[in-house]
Amino acid sequence: MKRGFVLMLAAAMALGMTACGGGEVSSEGRIGDTMETYFFDFTIDSASLTGEYAGRTPEPGNALLVVEVTVKNTYRESIEMYDTDFQLGWGDAEEDYCYPITTDPETYEELEPVGEAQLPGTYQLAVDEERTGELVYEVPAGQADFSIGYLEIFEDGTEEGDTGDAYFVYFTAREDTAASV
């Protein structure tokens, strides 16, 4: 299910980063705006680029983007959250997106967080529970303008599920000379 969701969000991000079209509703915001989805609210609190995060360095030609996000469960029962719920996009090319470093980009296998404030690949949110943490992405060096997208998926008995609304938060990341831990 996680891989199918990932592929559907990639398609939604491609639409969101280019022209709006189709019958799907999309909402957009900026840093500090609270996005209200069917299941939870989320706010991108800050975003910064760095060359190191808790001892991890990016591949040559890349940087690390550290995004602080606050998520609050507004649904009527506990929900399971995934790092891949929040896809990062930039540019207009089909391959201009990625997931946090807590998911292997080839296998979609969950990887351990490297920093204390980093959100894990999978976590539970109880009813009305709020959690703030960091999502860390490896991005092309020199890129500063990004969007984080979330696509609602409703279980309908199929592997893909039924898609709902899409939410995008657009921002310019600041350069950060201090590394997080």
Side-chain angles (χ1 to χ4, degrees):
M1 178 68 180
K2 190 173 181 180
R3 184 178 174 122
F5 169 78
V6 167
L7 297 175
M8 281 195 287
L9 186 55
M13 286 290 288
L15 288 175
M17 292 298 289
T18 55
C20 291
E24 293 148 4
V25 175
S26 70
S27 298
E28 68 176 61
R30 304 295 186 263
I31 286 183
D33 293 344
T34 298
M35 306 303 288
E36 299 175 1
T37 78
Y38 185 83
F39 303 103
F40 59 88
D41 293 349
F42 73 95
T43 305
I44 303 301
D45 301 312
S46 65
S48 61
L49 292 162
T50 186
E52 186 266 339
Y53 179 84
R56 170 146 178 182
T57 56
E59 294 293 320
N62 288 341
L64 295 175
L65 174 67
V66 181
V67 176
E68 184 181 83
V69 61
T70 299
V71 184
K72 181 178 181 181
N73 180 358
T74 56
Y75 196 56
R76 62 182 176 258
E77 59 189 54
S78 295
I79 57 175
E80 188 167 79
M81 298 293 300
Y82 303 97
D83 60 350
T84 55
D85 287 337
F86 301 104
Q87 180 178 317
L88 183 75
W90 63 90
D92 293 328
E94 192 173 306
E95 66 276 357
D96 290 349
Y97 74 92
C98 68
Y99 296 97
I101 63 171
T102 41
T103 292
D104 183 288
E106 301 297 319
T107 65
Y108 296 100
E109 178 182 334
E110 189 172 314
L111 305 173
E112 288 295 315
V114 295
E116 292 178 23
Q118 190 177 6
L119 291 172
T122 304
Y123 55 98
Q124 293 288 323
L125 279 180
V127 175
D128 289 328
E129 182 181 0
E130 182 176 283
R131 186 166 181 179
T132 298
E134 294 174 337
L135 297 170
V136 182
Y137 302 86
E138 188 163 338
V139 299
Q143 184 66 43
D145 295 331
F146 300 96
S147 72
I148 287 186
Y150 168 73
L151 176 64
E152 295 172 335
I153 303 289
F154 298 92
E155 303 246 345
D156 67 353
T158 66
E159 185 177 338
E160 298 83 23
D162 187 28
T163 59
D165 296 339
Y167 301 84
F168 300 95
V169 176
Y170 296 92
F171 58 92
T172 300
R174 61 181 168 78
E175 287 286 334
D176 191 3
T177 55
S180 295
V181 290

